[in-house]
């Protein structure tokens, strides 16, 4: 028993890192190559300038124009999809999109989350300060570093282009509104311009390089490539019992009471441990570096899962990877005085389904437990089923590019993202999408995302550019029939 607890706490630590990603920086002795290129800017200066243009969701236009102008000036073909104050989306490509070549899409988002209280920051949040070998400011990591890496890597192929014909186009796709659901960004672009984009593959955000994931070798960085996401389902439970009146004479049944009972029944459901093949794959690869028992468990989650279910369920992060989750996010009822029985009451659940779960069966399970109560169950929002992006030639091209840049001392594993990001809009159109920020970040740097003091290490900015260059190079040699 105690051993399981011990195992579990370590296991949890690793998952925490994998879910929220990165920990410590690699090779302190890696030199930053050339601080200025012939055009007179360095990648960190470029990122700094980009960060200085605040682009909180709904206000992306100026930052988007900055990035697209730069791409155009440097010689990429720019196609602007939308140019509005609250929706700026563009593509910057090696070849014009109209040529219809199979396209390698490098996806990033222009928008950032608000900075919060500026007093919490060491440097003003939109200063783009360059200090201590890092670029500081909101968006420095999420997701402007990625935009900068992708653009600079693509530009490196303009020379190649002059010498020989490339089999694929390469397109940096910069979109709006990722942080608020993607409606005015990736959703809009994939709804309207899929044919023009003609994607063969998409590389977007997702995992990153992290330390402390392997308990037996905490110093070994692990890169998690997101190949699949959980599915989001918002459910509403409504009680509208025809009973109202004075609180001094309670009825047998009334809306608030029925709702509370039904909600309680839902919260009492013990979710089954379900091991998605991707989760098993990724944790199994991590487990291969572990000591005996831990390795055994991590390699056989399907077998040990049910035995360890109470432990797995009791931890939010582990549970998010191994179960269908439900969070009660809203509770409200019709307005009235304190002595008035409400006629209407409502609860909302944010449910996250594992890829293998049938939505119909999931709903049936809930329906069954609320059966005794006078409530109705409604779907507020659901997302279509998507399958996992297979670990085919494109996945291996990315994996190989990471090994080329970082050496054999790192591990690369596939993983499932428990939240959602823009990759889903492509996967649901059967386009393989792989999610990774090709950089290693410390735990503190990782926690700065969506918080104070967001900062991108310059060394990792350079490494990321190199990974993308290597990736493009690798893909150019994959024959088209291989994917
Ligand atoms: Zn992001």
């Amino acid at each position: 028993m105690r051993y399981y607890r011990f195992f579990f706490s370590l296991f949890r630590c690793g998952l925490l890192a994998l879910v929220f990603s990165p920990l410590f920086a690699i090779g302190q002795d890696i030199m930053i190559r050339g601080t200025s290129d012939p055009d007179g800017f360095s990648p960190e200066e470029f990122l700094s300038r980009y960060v200085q243009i605040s682009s909180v969701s709904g206000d992306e236009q100026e930052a988007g124009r900055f990035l697209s102008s730069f791409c155009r000036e440097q010689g990429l073909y720019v196609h602007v999809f939308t140019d509005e104050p609250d929706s700026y989306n563009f593509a910057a490509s090696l070849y014009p999109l109209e040529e219809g070549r199979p396209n390698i899409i490098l996806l990033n988002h222009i928008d950032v989350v608000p900075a919060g209280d500026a007093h919490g920051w060491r440097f003003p949040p939109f200063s783009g300060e360059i200090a201590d070998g890092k670029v500081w400011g909101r968006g420095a990591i999420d997701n402007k570093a990625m935009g900068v890496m992708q653009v600079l890597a693509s530009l490196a192929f303009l020379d190649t282009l002059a010498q020989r014909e490339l089999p694929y186009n390469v397109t940096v796709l910069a979109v709006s509104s990722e942080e608020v659901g993607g409606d005015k960004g990736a959703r809009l672009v994939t709804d309207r311009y899929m044919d023009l984009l003609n994607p063969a593959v998409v590389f977007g955000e997702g995992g990153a390089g992290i330390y402390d994931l392997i308990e037996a070798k905490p110093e070994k960085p692990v890169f998690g490539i997101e190949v699949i996401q959980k599915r989001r389902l918002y459910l509403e439970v409504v009680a509208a019992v025809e009973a109202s009146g004075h609180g001094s004479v309670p009825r047998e049944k009334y809306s608030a009471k029925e709702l509370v009972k039904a909600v309680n029944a839902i919260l009492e459901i013990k979710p089954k441990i379900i091991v998605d093949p991707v989760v098993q794959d990724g944790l199994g690869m991590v487990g291969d570096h572990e000591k005996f028992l831990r390795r055994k468990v991590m390699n056989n989650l399907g077998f040990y899962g049910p035995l360890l279910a109470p432990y797995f369920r009791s931890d939010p992060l582990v549970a998010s990877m191994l179960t269908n989750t439900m969070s009660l996010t809203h509770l409200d009822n019709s307005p009235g005085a304190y002595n008035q029985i409400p006629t209407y009451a409502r609860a909302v659940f944010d449910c996250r389904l594992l890829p293998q779960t049938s939505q119909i069966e999931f709903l049936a399970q809930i329906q069954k437990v609320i059966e005794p109560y006078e409530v109705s169950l409604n779907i507020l929002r659901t997302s279509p089923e998507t399958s996992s992006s297979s670990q085919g030639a494109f996945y291996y091209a990315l994996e190989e590019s990471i090994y080329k840049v970082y050496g054999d001392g790192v591990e690369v594993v596939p993983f499932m993202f428990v939240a959602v990001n823009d990759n889903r809009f492509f996967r649901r159109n059967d386009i393989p999408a792989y999610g990774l920020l090709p950089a290693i970040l410390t735990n503190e740097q990782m926690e700065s995302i969506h918080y104070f003091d967001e900062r991108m290490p310059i060394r990792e900015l350079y490494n990321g550019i190199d990974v993308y260059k290597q990736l493009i190079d690798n893909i150019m040699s994959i024959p088209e029939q291989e994917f």
Side-chain angles (χ1 to χ4, degrees):
M1 230 35 168
R2 200 187 299 153
Y3 189 86
Y4 282 152
R5 236 180 255 276
F6 175 66
F7 157 80
F8 180 68
S9 69
L10 300 172
F11 184 57
R12 177 191 189 279
C13 168
L15 277 179
L16 180 107
L18 196 61
V19 172
F20 291 113
S21 286
L23 298 170
F24 296 95
I26 193 170
Q28 297 294 326
D29 56 338
I30 292 177
M31 290 262 293
I32 292 171
R33 290 131 291 183
T35 48
S36 278
D37 84 346
D39 290 305
F41 75 92
S42 63
E44 61 270 32
E45 284 160 2
F46 183 36
L47 176 58
S48 165
R49 281 187 231 173
Y50 188 23
V51 167
Q52 287 171 47
I53 309 169
S54 161
S55 53
V56 175
S57 308
D59 188 22
E60 294 94 340
Q61 196 175 36
E62 193 190 342
R65 284 180 174 173
F66 164 81
L67 198 59
S68 65
S69 310
F70 175 81
C71 292
R72 199 181 282 116
E73 282 159 21
Q74 296 293 314
L76 296 174
Y77 290 92
V78 170
H79 191 112
V80 178
F81 298 112
T82 59
D83 185 358
E84 285 150 33
D86 65 345
S87 174
Y88 193 91
N89 298 293
F90 78 94
S93 317
L94 291 181
Y95 293 105
L97 292 180
E98 290 73 14
E99 283 188 13
R101 279 171 208 254
N103 208 349
I104 303 163
I105 305 279
L106 307 178
L107 176 66
N108 67 84
H109 61 88
I110 302 163
D111 65 316
V112 299
V113 297
D117 181 4
H119 292 105
W121 290 73
R122 176 172 163 196
F123 302 108
F126 295 102
S127 65
E129 188 76 30
I130 299 175
D132 300 341
K134 295 163 200 91
V135 178
W136 299 68
R138 173 60 77 234
I141 300 175
D142 183 14
N143 188 237
K144 290 182 170 174
M146 202 154 153
V148 167
M149 290 171 185
Q150 295 173 349
V151 167
L152 297 184
S154 304
L155 291 178
F157 286 83
L158 284 174
D159 288 345
T160 320
L161 211 61
Q163 292 154 14
R164 66 182 173 104
E165 182 91 2
L166 298 175
Y168 307 95
N169 198 353
V170 175
T171 290
V172 175
L173 176 61
V175 297
S176 289
S177 92
E178 193 278 340
E179 300 288 2
V180 291
D183 285 355
K184 291 181 176 175
R187 184 190 296 273
L188 180 154
V189 171
T190 51
D191 279 355
R192 297 188 203 163
Y193 302 103
M194 209 54 156
D195 288 348
L196 187 59
L197 281 170
N198 192 25
V201 61
V202 172
F203 296 96
E205 60 177 347
I210 58 176
Y211 281 96
D212 282 354
L213 183 64
I214 302 169
E215 196 266 326
K217 293 177 193 162
E219 74 291 349
K220 191 181 179 77
V222 178
F223 285 85
I225 300 177
E226 177 222 299
V227 297
I228 193 164
Q229 295 174 6
K230 282 178 102 175
R231 195 171 163 193
R232 196 169 49 176
L233 171 67
Y234 294 149
L235 290 180
E236 177 191 61
V237 185
V238 172
V241 182
E242 279 192 30
S244 55
H246 202 280
S248 61
V249 189
R251 314 291 154 133
E252 171 60 26
K253 262 187 192 177
Y254 55 93
S255 295
K257 188 175 166 187
E258 284 301 285
L259 182 78
V260 167
K261 287 187 187 172
V263 163
N264 190 51
I266 293 171
L267 292 173
E268 289 292 313
I269 296 174
K270 280 200 171 48
K272 223 172 106 184
I273 301 292
I274 301 166
V275 184
D276 187 88
V278 169
V279 173
Q280 178 58 82
D281 240 38
L283 292 181
M285 287 169 80
V286 169
D288 285 342
H289 297 285
E290 300 291 9
K291 292 191 180 114
F292 182 69
L293 186 59
R294 194 175 151 85
R295 179 169 71 228
K296 221 170 145 84
V297 173
M298 290 177 83
N299 273 305
N300 297 284
L301 288 169
F303 177 75
Y304 290 102
L307 299 175
L308 299 171
Y311 298 98
F312 287 162
R313 268 192 223 111
S314 68
D315 184 274
L317 288 167
V318 178
S320 72
M321 298 202 103
L322 296 178
T323 65
N324 297 311
T325 60
M326 288 182 276
S327 291
L328 175 61
T329 56
H330 281 254
L331 264 181
D332 44 60
N333 56 254
S334 47
Y338 290 150
N339 63 5
Q340 227 178 341
I341 291 175
T343 52
Y344 171 92
R346 181 182 91 119
V348 175
F349 285 90
D350 174 356
C351 309
R352 305 293 172 131
L353 308 192
L354 289 159
Q356 309 279 313
T357 299
S358 138
Q359 183 173 299
I360 295 171
E361 283 169 28
F362 181 79
L363 290 171
Q365 186 192 15
I366 295 177
Q367 196 70 57
K368 199 173 150 205
V369 302
I370 61 173
E371 191 75 57
Y373 314 106
E374 212 175 313
V375 294
S376 59
L377 182 66
N378 311 312
I379 295 173
L380 292 180
R381 190 164 175 169
T382 179
S383 45
E385 257 175 77
T386 50
S387 53
S388 137
S389 298
S390 73
Q391 282 147 259
F394 292 125
Y395 177 92
Y396 292 114
L398 177 56
E399 184 186 74
E400 194 190 315
S401 64
I402 295 165
Y403 286 127
K404 279 233 172 96
V405 171
Y406 283 97
D408 290 338
V410 303
E411 180 67 87
V412 182
V413 304
F415 91 103
M416 178 186 73
F417 201 53
V418 298
V420 296
N421 63 31
D422 282 345
N423 296 335
R424 72 189 192 280
F425 297 112
F426 291 89
R427 286 201 192 110
R428 67 177 62 159
N429 283 287
D430 292 324
I431 308 297
Y434 303 99
L436 178 78
L437 173 70
I440 299 177
L441 302 174
T442 66
N443 197 27
E444 290 79 8
Q445 286 155 6
M446 198 57 210
E447 282 168 7
S448 73
I449 295 173
H450 289 208
Y451 193 52
F452 299 132
D453 290 342
E454 183 172 350
R455 55 200 187 274
M456 181 70 197
I458 295 168
R459 184 185 51 238
E460 291 304 312
L461 184 65
Y462 282 73
N463 281 335
I465 295 167
D466 285 349
V467 172
Y468 278 116
K469 279 193 210 166
Q470 194 62 57
L471 173 66
I472 295 169
D473 206 46
N474 288 348
I475 292 181
M476 289 303 171
S477 61
I478 301 174
E480 211 177 318
Q481 60 271 21
E482 271 194 32
F483 54 86

